[in-house]
Amino acid sequence: MKNINIAVILIGLIIPIVGYTQPIQLEPIVLVPGIMGSWNSEVMFQGSGSGDWNFFPIDHHWDNMISALEDAGYQQGVNLFVSFYDWRQSNINSATDYLIPTIDKALLNSPTGKVNIIAHSMGGLVARRYIESNQYRNDVDHLIMLGTPNYGSSDVYTLWEGGRIPDNWGRIEQFIINGYLWYITVATAQMADNYDTIHTFIPSIRELLPTYDFLTDSEGGVKSYWNLAEASNPFLDNLNESDNVHKLLNLGHITVIAGQGQGTVGDVPVIDRPEGEPKLWADGMPEPLTPERNDTDGDNRVLLSSAFLNESAFIPPVLVDNFWQRLLSIFMPKVHAEFDGDLDAFLDQVEVDGKHGALPTLAIPQILDTLGLPQPTIAYVAPEEPDHIVGFWFASPIAVKVTDPSGRVITKDSNNIPEAVYTGETDPNGVKMVIIPNGLVGKYKVELLGIGDGEYHMAATTFTDGADKIVTVEKSVLTGEKIEYEVDINPGASLVAIGEPIITMPEPENNPSPLEMAQALQLELDKYYQDKKITNKGLYQSLSTDLKLVIKSLEVGGVIVERLAIHKIQSFIFTLESKPNKNKIDLDALSDLIVKARAILTKI
């Protein structure tokens, strides 16, 4: 009996200790980047719904935040998620199509049934849109906004009303938006100009326009926001309506962190639109065209007064207790949440010295403290933007090789230029980009090899603080044709000069017939299977069957059987591009087979 009593006592002592030492399960965190903070080449350039979302290849604004959260115990894909989204679309769509599914993933490991959201810039508007909508499911505990333009940003006026990218935007932002506009407007000629492209393909720009009075006329008078012809922002007007703002009171806490001490566009002086101009500058043309950053109460992109929420919007209206008020309340009941707590305890609004892009780093100590997490053991330093970017854009059936002035080379498959990135090769005939942060001054060599017959576009670019330069060429190319350009680039002088092309036509032996190309492709397919780069026998047999029919058809010749060859080559490509099959074949082998199959299709 004594032994039983001792055992009971020991169990009673051990159980509390075991319970006490169990790790606390962390409430999941969802990060929401700002405009241009998400990237997916297939979606952006090909209009495909597939591809992987990530940060833009040279964008490192979130690196420190993610490292700090991981050091605090978070794991990406378990309780730490990034809600990437198509920032071109309305924030309404982004909240529904991207944020909600990401929250759903995070909730799978939530001990509370809620998540915390850390949102930068426009990402805060995406988060607010969800929380203030009828889709909200009471699943957000703490909302932390970093430099969110809750009442808009004067910085986007020139982009919306004039299709003009301000010269003093950040280098990475300039590269991304210029590259996208170049592709839609120049390379594909889908739109007449940047204005049409922005209004058609990037409606989210309008949702960043200010809802405060920010335009001044030539006499210094202020133009009322409510009288503007085109620069209105219905999205923010709705988001900031009292009844919608009150829905934020359903959260556990809100923290707003805003940068200050940086030159930021406040008032924008404008003159009348040029006579005879039917489209641009409906509310006035900026003078100068790149508005000055004339207010230091901001973070270089968003004013403090726009980032900070208006506290009075959270205070419910006071109802007078009389007959008419009681009668009115019967027919018009209050639909917003009541707040009977301490607003100062619910809403923290904090200023930090620093730029807009640095906020995900500068805010780390405040965020960890607010979430009850341990402070980092190191002092994180915000990543600096490159002094300049040298870049090349291509839209065409070509393979690309770029050599910098010191002889270093970057291609799809290799790279020995420090920090340089080659991206966009998911479609061999689609858009490719070579990005070289702080690229050397001098002569670059660009070699293009035709992988099909058709038109190609190439742009050489440089972006610095306060200036950009883009030079484009457009020519035709044949399969096997080699085209070489010498490109002189000096970012400091805003110089980009593309020399005349040196063209080398393919030798006859290097210009095989479609039949010879199909036979060679069959041998290559067999080798990939033998080398186990194709891991699924069924996939190999399906591809081989298509190719054998192509070869047989081309051997017979004639219009009818050539149609069969075309059909089977298309089937070969479709099989390779089918999403389930991409897991059954080495990605380099996949790309190689598709490129060569398309070359056969072009030849036929």
Side-chain angles (χ1 to χ4, degrees):
M1 191 66 172
K2 286 184 179 180
N3 290 339
I4 294 174
N5 291 336
I6 292 172
V8 171
I9 292 170
L10 288 174
I11 291 170
L13 291 172
I14 290 171
I15 288 175
I17 294 173
V18 171
Y20 179 78
T21 57
Q22 288 294 317
I24 298 173
Q25 193 176 353
L26 297 169
E27 196 167 56
I29 290 176
V30 175
L31 308 179
V32 190
I35 188 170
M36 291 181 263
S38 306
W39 190 255
N40 183 328
S41 291
E42 292 190 21
V43 172
M44 301 294 293
F45 292 123
Q46 299 174 40
S48 167
S50 59
D52 295 323
W53 286 94
N54 211 322
F55 297 109
F56 190 70
I58 61 172
D59 181 359
H60 301 289
H61 290 123
W62 284 94
D63 289 5
N64 291 332
M65 175 72 74
I66 292 173
S67 293
L69 291 173
E70 288 177 335
D71 288 345
Y74 281 86
Q75 296 180 5
Q76 291 192 63
V78 178
N79 51 17
L80 177 60
F81 296 84
V82 182
S83 180
F84 296 110
Y85 59 95
D86 188 348
W87 45 264
R88 300 169 303 167
Q89 306 306 314
S90 169
N91 292 302
I92 298 172
N93 297 341
S94 296
T96 301
D97 299 338
Y98 294 91
L99 179 57
I100 291 176
T102 306
I103 290 175
D104 288 341
K105 293 177 184 177
L107 288 172
L108 294 176
N109 287 312
S110 176
T112 63
K114 292 178 181 282
V115 303
N116 297 311
I117 292 178
I118 304 174
H120 181 231
S121 196
M122 192 169 81
L125 301 183
V126 175
R128 282 188 59 191
R129 163 61 195 181
Y130 167 56
I131 295 165
E132 297 179 27
S133 73
N134 293 330
Q135 294 174 292
Y136 183 57
R137 303 161 304 185
N138 197 33
D139 51 12
V140 178
D141 184 7
H142 197 140
L143 172 63
I144 301 173
M145 292 186 287
L146 314 175
T148 292
N150 286 299
Y151 304 98
S153 171
S154 309
D155 218 10
V156 302
Y157 175 72
T158 59
L159 196 56
W160 183 253
E161 287 227 355
R164 178 182 171 81
I165 303 163
D167 294 334
N168 52 14
W169 273 24
R171 268 76 74 197
I172 296 175
E173 292 168 320
Q174 287 186 49
F175 188 92
I176 294 172
I177 193 69
N178 271 295
Y180 182 72
L181 294 177
W182 172 82
Y183 173 71
I184 297 296
T185 308
V186 178
T188 65
Q190 294 182 57
M191 291 287 126
D193 53 30
N194 284 352
Y195 176 94
D196 288 345
T197 300
I198 290 164
H199 281 244
T200 303
F201 288 93
I202 321 180
S204 62
I205 296 295
R206 183 178 190 179
E207 296 176 0
L208 294 175
L209 286 167
T211 56
Y212 50 84
D213 296 338
F214 70 104
L215 296 180
T216 59
D217 59 29
S218 56
E219 297 178 355
V222 177
K223 292 191 172 189
S224 170
Y225 166 78
W226 299 107
N227 293 331
L228 298 182
E230 188 174 291
S232 61
N233 188 339
F235 170 78
L236 277 186
D237 289 339
N238 178 266
L239 203 67
N240 291 320
E241 284 184 359
S242 177
D243 284 344
N244 287 328
V245 173
H246 274 82
K247 294 176 183 177
L248 295 175
L249 295 172
N250 292 312
L251 298 168
H253 199 87
I254 298 177
T255 298
V256 177
I257 300 176
Q260 64 92 30
Q262 308 296 317
T264 307
V265 178
D267 293 339
V268 177
V270 295
I271 59 176
D272 292 339
R273 71 198 308 181
E275 187 175 349
E277 171 56 63
K279 182 165 61 175
L280 309 182
W281 312 121
D283 293 298
M285 185 170 73
E287 181 64 42
L289 271 177
T290 293
E292 295 179 358
R293 300 193 179 281
N294 50 16
D295 194 327
T296 57
D297 283 337
D299 64 10
N300 192 246
R301 296 301 301 275
V302 179
L303 295 171
L304 272 177
S305 57
S306 177
F308 281 173
L309 293 168
N310 183 352
E311 295 187 8
S312 64
F314 290 93
I315 301 173
V318 177
L319 296 180
V320 179
D321 191 17
N322 59 40
F323 170 79
W324 295 109
Q325 278 287 6
R326 289 195 297 272
L327 180 63
L328 183 64
S329 68
I330 295 173
F331 297 99
M332 298 180 62
K334 290 181 290 182
V335 296
H336 53 256
E338 293 287 359
F339 184 67
D340 54 6
D342 182 358
L343 187 60
D344 290 336
F346 169 77
L347 174 65
D348 286 330
Q349 306 211 81
V350 182
E351 298 179 20
V352 296
D353 293 328
K355 285 190 172 183
H356 190 72
L359 290 177
T361 294
L362 299 175
I364 288 173
Q366 174 75 26
I367 289 173
L368 295 181
D369 182 63
T370 299
L371 296 178
L373 299 171
Q375 287 296 313
T377 56
I378 63 173
Y380 287 101
V381 177
E384 292 186 3
E385 277 203 345
D387 291 331
H388 61 267
I389 294 175
V390 171
F392 299 91
W393 305 326
F394 308 91
S396 51
I398 53 174
V400 174
K401 176 182 177 182
V402 174
T403 305
D404 80 354
S406 70
R408 299 173 298 187
V409 175
I410 182 170
T411 69
K412 175 179 75 70
D413 301 311
S414 63
N415 175 23
N416 55 21
I417 303 177
E419 299 184 31
V421 174
Y422 188 112
T423 185
E425 190 66 26
T426 51
D427 179 359
N429 291 313
V431 176
K432 312 163 183 68
M433 294 189 294
V434 172
I435 312 164
I436 310 176
N438 297 318
L440 297 176
V441 173
K443 297 184 186 302
Y444 289 76
K445 183 179 179 181
V446 179
E447 299 176 57
L448 311 177
L449 179 64
I451 57 175
D453 298 345
E455 298 291 325
Y456 72 87
H457 292 76
M458 180 185 86
T461 68
T462 181
F463 298 94
T464 61
D465 190 10
D468 60 68
K469 186 74 173 179
I470 305 170
V471 179
T472 297
V473 294
E474 175 187 353
K475 293 185 181 298
S476 60
V477 65
L478 299 173
T479 304
E481 182 179 357
K482 184 179 179 181
I483 305 171
E484 299 174 81
Y485 288 98
E486 186 176 81
V487 184
D488 194 5
I489 296 181
N490 185 341
S494 194
L495 168 68
V496 175
I498 302 178
E500 289 298 315
I502 299 173
I503 300 174
T504 305
M505 298 301 295
E507 296 293 334
E509 61 268 23
N510 294 328
N511 189 20
S513 68
L515 173 58
E516 292 170 329
M517 294 168 71
Q519 290 168 335
L521 185 57
Q522 177 70 63
L523 292 174
E524 195 156 3
L525 176 68
D526 294 341
K527 190 171 188 310
Y528 280 139
Y529 182 63
Q530 293 165 6
D531 293 345
K532 301 191 182 305
K533 292 191 175 181
I534 299 176
T535 58
N536 182 274
K537 184 177 180 180
L539 173 61
Y540 163 71
Q541 290 175 335
S542 174
L543 295 172
S544 184
T545 299
D546 282 341
L547 270 186
K548 287 175 181 176
L549 285 170
V550 171
I551 292 169
K552 189 66 176 175
S553 300
L554 294 175
E555 285 175 341
V556 173
V559 174
I560 295 177
V561 289
E562 279 187 356
R563 289 177 183 171
L564 174 62
I566 291 171
H567 173 71
K568 286 301 174 183
I569 278 289
Q570 289 172 335
S571 172
F572 181 91
I573 294 170
F574 177 80
T575 300
L576 286 168
E577 290 181 335
S578 176
K579 195 167 185 179
N581 287 332
K582 290 184 179 180
N583 298 323
K584 304 172 184 176
I585 180 172
D586 176 84
L587 291 180
D588 288 336
L590 174 76
S591 176
D592 182 51
L593 292 172
I594 289 175
V595 167
K596 289 175 178 174
R598 283 185 174 144
I600 296 171
L601 195 59
T602 303
K603 269 297 188 67
I604 297 174

PDB file of all heavy atoms in Angstrom, residues 97-120:
ATOM      1  N   ASP A  97      -8.690  36.016 -53.137  1.00  0.00           N
ATOM      2  CA  ASP A  97      -8.027  34.947 -53.901  1.00  0.00           C
ATOM      3  C   ASP A  97      -6.686  34.522 -53.316  1.00  0.00           C
ATOM      4  O   ASP A  97      -6.204  33.424 -53.627  1.00  0.00           O
ATOM      5  CB  ASP A  97      -7.814  35.387 -55.350  1.00  0.00           C
ATOM      6  CG  ASP A  97      -9.120  35.698 -56.064  1.00  0.00           C
ATOM      7  OD1 ASP A  97     -10.170  35.195 -55.606  1.00  0.00           O
ATOM      8  OD2 ASP A  97      -9.101  36.453 -57.057  1.00  0.00           O
ATOM      9  N   TYR A  98      -6.065  35.369 -52.500  1.00  0.00           N
ATOM     10  CA  TYR A  98      -4.719  35.063 -52.025  1.00  0.00           C
ATOM     11  C   TYR A  98      -4.612  35.062 -50.488  1.00  0.00           C
ATOM     12  O   TYR A  98      -4.075  34.126 -49.906  1.00  0.00           O
ATOM     13  CB  TYR A  98      -3.702  36.056 -52.608  1.00  0.00           C
ATOM     14  CG  TYR A  98      -3.546  35.923 -54.102  1.00  0.00           C
ATOM     15  CD1 TYR A  98      -4.329  36.675 -54.977  1.00  0.00           C
ATOM     16  CD2 TYR A  98      -2.612  35.038 -54.639  1.00  0.00           C
ATOM     17  CE1 TYR A  98      -4.187  36.547 -56.353  1.00  0.00           C
ATOM     18  CE2 TYR A  98      -2.459  34.904 -56.010  1.00  0.00           C
ATOM     19  CZ  TYR A  98      -3.252  35.664 -56.865  1.00  0.00           C
ATOM     20  OH  TYR A  98      -3.114  35.530 -58.226  1.00  0.00           O
ATOM     21  N   LEU A  99      -5.123  36.122 -49.844  1.00  0.00           N
ATOM     22  CA  LEU A  99      -4.953  36.201 -48.393  1.00  0.00           C
ATOM     23  C   LEU A  99      -5.774  35.138 -47.665  1.00  0.00           C
ATOM     24  O   LEU A  99      -5.251  34.441 -46.779  1.00  0.00           O
ATOM     25  CB  LEU A  99      -5.328  37.599 -47.884  1.00  0.00           C
ATOM     26  CG  LEU A  99      -5.206  37.803 -46.370  1.00  0.00           C
ATOM     27  CD1 LEU A  99      -3.794  37.494 -45.884  1.00  0.00           C
ATOM     28  CD2 LEU A  99      -5.623  39.227 -45.982  1.00  0.00           C
ATOM     29  N   ILE A 100      -7.038  35.004 -48.003  1.00  0.00           N
ATOM     30  CA  ILE A 100      -7.890  34.035 -47.299  1.00  0.00           C
ATOM     31  C   ILE A 100      -7.345  32.606 -47.424  1.00  0.00           C
ATOM     32  O   ILE A 100      -7.252  31.891 -46.408  1.00  0.00           O
ATOM     33  CB  ILE A 100      -9.352  34.120 -47.787  1.00  0.00           C
ATOM     34  CG1 ILE A 100      -9.983  35.448 -47.338  1.00  0.00           C
ATOM     35  CG2 ILE A 100     -10.181  32.945 -47.275  1.00  0.00           C
ATOM     36  CD1 ILE A 100     -11.405  35.676 -47.846  1.00  0.00           C
ATOM     37  N   PRO A 101      -6.950  32.139 -48.617  1.00  0.00           N
ATOM     38  CA  PRO A 101      -6.365  30.791 -48.694  1.00  0.00           C
ATOM     39  C   PRO A 101      -5.092  30.635 -47.867  1.00  0.00           C
ATOM     40  O   PRO A 101      -4.843  29.554 -47.307  1.00  0.00           O
ATOM     41  CB  PRO A 101      -6.081  30.612 -50.191  1.00  0.00           C
ATOM     42  CG  PRO A 101      -7.058  31.513 -50.872  1.00  0.00           C
ATOM     43  CD  PRO A 101      -7.172  32.701 -49.972  1.00  0.00           C
ATOM     44  N   THR A 102      -4.284  31.695 -47.773  1.00  0.00           N
ATOM     45  CA  THR A 102      -3.074  31.615 -46.958  1.00  0.00           C
ATOM     46  C   THR A 102      -3.422  31.529 -45.475  1.00  0.00           C
ATOM     47  O   THR A 102      -2.822  30.753 -44.717  1.00  0.00           O
ATOM     48  CB  THR A 102      -2.169  32.830 -47.205  1.00  0.00           C
ATOM     49  OG1 THR A 102      -1.904  32.951 -48.609  1.00  0.00           O
ATOM     50  CG2 THR A 102      -0.846  32.689 -46.465  1.00  0.00           C
ATOM     51  N   ILE A 103      -4.404  32.302 -45.041  1.00  0.00           N
ATOM     52  CA  ILE A 103      -4.866  32.220 -43.646  1.00  0.00           C
ATOM     53  C   ILE A 103      -5.380  30.817 -43.344  1.00  0.00           C
ATOM     54  O   ILE A 103      -5.119  30.257 -42.268  1.00  0.00           O
ATOM     55  CB  ILE A 103      -5.941  33.286 -43.369  1.00  0.00           C
ATOM     56  CG1 ILE A 103      -5.315  34.684 -43.377  1.00  0.00           C
ATOM     57  CG2 ILE A 103      -6.644  33.022 -42.038  1.00  0.00           C
ATOM     58  CD1 ILE A 103      -6.323  35.819 -43.238  1.00  0.00           C
ATOM     59  N   ASP A 104      -6.086  30.228 -44.299  1.00  0.00           N
ATOM     60  CA  ASP A 104      -6.602  28.868 -44.100  1.00  0.00           C
ATOM     61  C   ASP A 104      -5.469  27.881 -43.828  1.00  0.00           C
ATOM     62  O   ASP A 104      -5.594  26.992 -42.967  1.00  0.00           O
ATOM     63  CB  ASP A 104      -7.406  28.425 -45.323  1.00  0.00           C
ATOM     64  CG  ASP A 104      -8.748  29.135 -45.428  1.00  0.00           C
ATOM     65  OD1 ASP A 104      -9.210  29.673 -44.404  1.00  0.00           O
ATOM     66  OD2 ASP A 104      -9.327  29.156 -46.533  1.00  0.00           O
ATOM     67  N   LYS A 105      -4.371  28.025 -44.549  1.00  0.00           N
ATOM     68  CA  LYS A 105      -3.216  27.145 -44.318  1.00  0.00           C
ATOM     69  C   LYS A 105      -2.644  27.375 -42.919  1.00  0.00           C
ATOM     70  O   LYS A 105      -2.300  26.428 -42.212  1.00  0.00           O
ATOM     71  CB  LYS A 105      -2.137  27.396 -45.373  1.00  0.00           C
ATOM     72  CG  LYS A 105      -2.519  26.992 -46.773  1.00  0.00           C
ATOM     73  CD  LYS A 105      -1.407  27.353 -47.767  1.00  0.00           C
ATOM     74  CE  LYS A 105      -1.824  27.037 -49.193  1.00  0.00           C
ATOM     75  NZ  LYS A 105      -0.781  27.454 -50.159  1.00  0.00           N
ATOM     76  N   ALA A 106      -2.536  28.648 -42.538  1.00  0.00           N
ATOM     77  CA  ALA A 106      -1.961  28.969 -41.231  1.00  0.00           C
ATOM     78  C   ALA A 106      -2.833  28.462 -40.090  1.00  0.00           C
ATOM     79  O   ALA A 106      -2.329  28.039 -39.041  1.00  0.00           O
ATOM     80  CB  ALA A 106      -1.756  30.482 -41.122  1.00  0.00           C
ATOM     81  N   LEU A 107      -4.147  28.486 -40.281  1.00  0.00           N
ATOM     82  CA  LEU A 107      -5.062  28.071 -39.215  1.00  0.00           C
ATOM     83  C   LEU A 107      -4.951  26.581 -38.884  1.00  0.00           C
ATOM     84  O   LEU A 107      -5.365  26.149 -37.800  1.00  0.00           O
ATOM     85  CB  LEU A 107      -6.508  28.394 -39.613  1.00  0.00           C
ATOM     86  CG  LEU A 107      -6.885  29.887 -39.597  1.00  0.00           C
ATOM     87  CD1 LEU A 107      -8.272  30.087 -40.185  1.00  0.00           C
ATOM     88  CD2 LEU A 107      -6.800  30.468 -38.195  1.00  0.00           C
ATOM     89  N   LEU A 108      -4.378  25.809 -39.787  1.00  0.00           N
ATOM     90  CA  LEU A 108      -4.243  24.369 -39.535  1.00  0.00           C
ATOM     91  C   LEU A 108      -3.377  24.089 -38.318  1.00  0.00           C
ATOM     92  O   LEU A 108      -3.508  23.041 -37.684  1.00  0.00           O
ATOM     93  CB  LEU A 108      -3.651  23.675 -40.773  1.00  0.00           C
ATOM     94  CG  LEU A 108      -4.531  23.682 -42.028  1.00  0.00           C
ATOM     95  CD1 LEU A 108      -3.775  23.060 -43.192  1.00  0.00           C
ATOM     96  CD2 LEU A 108      -5.846  22.948 -41.778  1.00  0.00           C
ATOM     97  N   ASN A 109      -2.468  25.029 -37.991  1.00  0.00           N
ATOM     98  CA  ASN A 109      -1.585  24.840 -36.834  1.00  0.00           C
ATOM     99  C   ASN A 109      -1.765  25.949 -35.797  1.00  0.00           C
ATOM    100  O   ASN A 109      -0.825  26.303 -35.088  1.00  0.00           O
ATOM    101  CB  ASN A 109      -0.119  24.804 -37.288  1.00  0.00           C
ATOM    102  CG  ASN A 109       0.232  23.516 -37.992  1.00  0.00           C
ATOM    103  OD1 ASN A 109      -0.081  22.439 -37.504  1.00  0.00           O
ATOM    104  ND2 ASN A 109       0.843  23.619 -39.152  1.00  0.00           N
ATOM    105  N   SER A 110      -2.966  26.497 -35.731  1.00  0.00           N
ATOM    106  CA  SER A 110      -3.218  27.579 -34.774  1.00  0.00           C
ATOM    107  C   SER A 110      -3.834  27.034 -33.488  1.00  0.00           C
ATOM    108  O   SER A 110      -4.878  26.376 -33.527  1.00  0.00           O
ATOM    109  CB  SER A 110      -4.152  28.630 -35.374  1.00  0.00           C
ATOM    110  OG  SER A 110      -4.469  29.614 -34.410  1.00  0.00           O
ATOM    111  N   PRO A 111      -3.224  27.316 -32.335  1.00  0.00           N
ATOM    112  CA  PRO A 111      -3.796  26.853 -31.064  1.00  0.00           C
ATOM    113  C   PRO A 111      -5.004  27.674 -30.634  1.00  0.00           C
ATOM    114  O   PRO A 111      -5.740  27.270 -29.737  1.00  0.00           O
ATOM    115  CB  PRO A 111      -2.640  27.027 -30.081  1.00  0.00           C
ATOM    116  CG  PRO A 111      -1.851  28.159 -30.637  1.00  0.00           C
ATOM    117  CD  PRO A 111      -1.948  28.037 -32.127  1.00  0.00           C
ATOM    118  N   THR A 112      -5.203  28.835 -31.263  1.00  0.00           N
ATOM    119  CA  THR A 112      -6.274  29.743 -30.839  1.00  0.00           C
ATOM    120  C   THR A 112      -7.385  29.890 -31.863  1.00  0.00           C
ATOM    121  O   THR A 112      -8.398  30.522 -31.584  1.00  0.00           O
ATOM    122  CB  THR A 112      -5.686  31.138 -30.570  1.00  0.00           C
ATOM    123  OG1 THR A 112      -5.140  31.648 -31.801  1.00  0.00           O
ATOM    124  CG2 THR A 112      -4.605  31.085 -29.510  1.00  0.00           C
ATOM    125  N   GLY A 113      -7.159  29.318 -33.070  1.00  0.00           N
ATOM    126  CA  GLY A 113      -8.125  29.540 -34.134  1.00  0.00           C
ATOM    127  C   GLY A 113      -7.969  30.897 -34.783  1.00  0.00           C
ATOM    128  O   GLY A 113      -8.839  31.339 -35.530  1.00  0.00           O
ATOM    129  N   LYS A 114      -6.839  31.565 -34.498  1.00  0.00           N
ATOM    130  CA  LYS A 114      -6.575  32.882 -35.064  1.00  0.00           C
ATOM    131  C   LYS A 114      -5.131  32.955 -35.569  1.00  0.00           C
ATOM    132  O   LYS A 114      -4.294  32.110 -35.239  1.00  0.00           O
ATOM    133  CB  LYS A 114      -6.798  33.990 -34.026  1.00  0.00           C
ATOM    134  CG  LYS A 114      -8.256  34.183 -33.591  1.00  0.00           C
ATOM    135  CD  LYS A 114      -8.354  35.257 -32.527  1.00  0.00           C
ATOM    136  CE  LYS A 114      -9.792  35.458 -32.057  1.00  0.00           C
ATOM    137  NZ  LYS A 114     -10.584  36.238 -33.005  1.00  0.00           N
ATOM    138  N   VAL A 115      -4.858  33.983 -36.377  1.00  0.00           N
ATOM    139  CA  VAL A 115      -3.502  34.250 -36.852  1.00  0.00           C
ATOM    140  C   VAL A 115      -3.175  35.710 -36.565  1.00  0.00           C
ATOM    141  O   VAL A 115      -4.063  36.524 -36.280  1.00  0.00           O
ATOM    142  CB  VAL A 115      -3.367  33.982 -38.371  1.00  0.00           C
ATOM    143  CG1 VAL A 115      -3.755  32.569 -38.717  1.00  0.00           C
ATOM    144  CG2 VAL A 115      -4.192  34.986 -39.188  1.00  0.00           C
ATOM    145  N   ASN A 116      -1.899  36.031 -36.645  1.00  0.00           N
ATOM    146  CA  ASN A 116      -1.449  37.413 -36.623  1.00  0.00           C
ATOM    147  C   ASN A 116      -0.995  37.792 -38.027  1.00  0.00           C
ATOM    148  O   ASN A 116      -0.392  36.975 -38.727  1.00  0.00           O
ATOM    149  CB  ASN A 116      -0.280  37.596 -35.649  1.00  0.00           C
ATOM    150  CG  ASN A 116      -0.684  37.296 -34.222  1.00  0.00           C
ATOM    151  OD1 ASN A 116      -1.699  37.789 -33.734  1.00  0.00           O
ATOM    152  ND2 ASN A 116       0.096  36.457 -33.542  1.00  0.00           N
ATOM    153  N   ILE A 117      -1.277  39.012 -38.426  1.00  0.00           N
ATOM    154  CA  ILE A 117      -0.890  39.478 -39.757  1.00  0.00           C
ATOM    155  C   ILE A 117       0.117  40.617 -39.621  1.00  0.00           C
ATOM    156  O   ILE A 117      -0.108  41.571 -38.867  1.00  0.00           O
ATOM    157  CB  ILE A 117      -2.110  39.967 -40.566  1.00  0.00           C
ATOM    158  CG1 ILE A 117      -3.022  38.788 -40.914  1.00  0.00           C
ATOM    159  CG2 ILE A 117      -1.666  40.671 -41.847  1.00  0.00           C
ATOM    160  CD1 ILE A 117      -4.281  39.179 -41.679  1.00  0.00           C
ATOM    161  N   ILE A 118       1.236  40.493 -40.335  1.00  0.00           N
ATOM    162  CA  ILE A 118       2.210  41.572 -40.446  1.00  0.00           C
ATOM    163  C   ILE A 118       2.220  41.989 -41.907  1.00  0.00           C
ATOM    164  O   ILE A 118       2.610  41.212 -42.777  1.00  0.00           O
ATOM    165  CB  ILE A 118       3.620  41.132 -40.004  1.00  0.00           C
ATOM    166  CG1 ILE A 118       3.586  40.584 -38.578  1.00  0.00           C
ATOM    167  CG2 ILE A 118       4.607  42.283 -40.121  1.00  0.00           C
ATOM    168  CD1 ILE A 118       4.911  39.985 -38.118  1.00  0.00           C
ATOM    169  N   ALA A 119       1.772  43.203 -42.204  1.00  0.00           N
ATOM    170  CA  ALA A 119       1.578  43.642 -43.580  1.00  0.00           C
ATOM    171  C   ALA A 119       2.357  44.915 -43.855  1.00  0.00           C
ATOM    172  O   ALA A 119       2.369  45.841 -43.038  1.00  0.00           O
ATOM    173  CB  ALA A 119       0.097  43.857 -43.865  1.00  0.00           C
ATOM    174  N   HIS A 120       2.998  44.960 -45.006  1.00  0.00           N
ATOM    175  CA  HIS A 120       3.772  46.128 -45.405  1.00  0.00           C
ATOM    176  C   HIS A 120       3.059  46.862 -46.528  1.00  0.00           C
ATOM    177  O   HIS A 120       2.564  46.247 -47.477  1.00  0.00           O
ATOM    178  CB  HIS A 120       5.168  45.695 -45.887  1.00  0.00           C
ATOM    179  CG  HIS A 120       6.055  46.824 -46.306  1.00  0.00           C
ATOM    180  ND1 HIS A 120       6.718  46.852 -47.511  1.00  0.00           N
ATOM    181  CD2 HIS A 120       6.389  47.978 -45.673  1.00  0.00           C
ATOM    182  CE1 HIS A 120       7.431  47.961 -47.596  1.00  0.00           C
ATOM    183  NE2 HIS A 120       7.240  48.666 -46.503  1.00  0.00           N
TER     184      HIS A 120
END
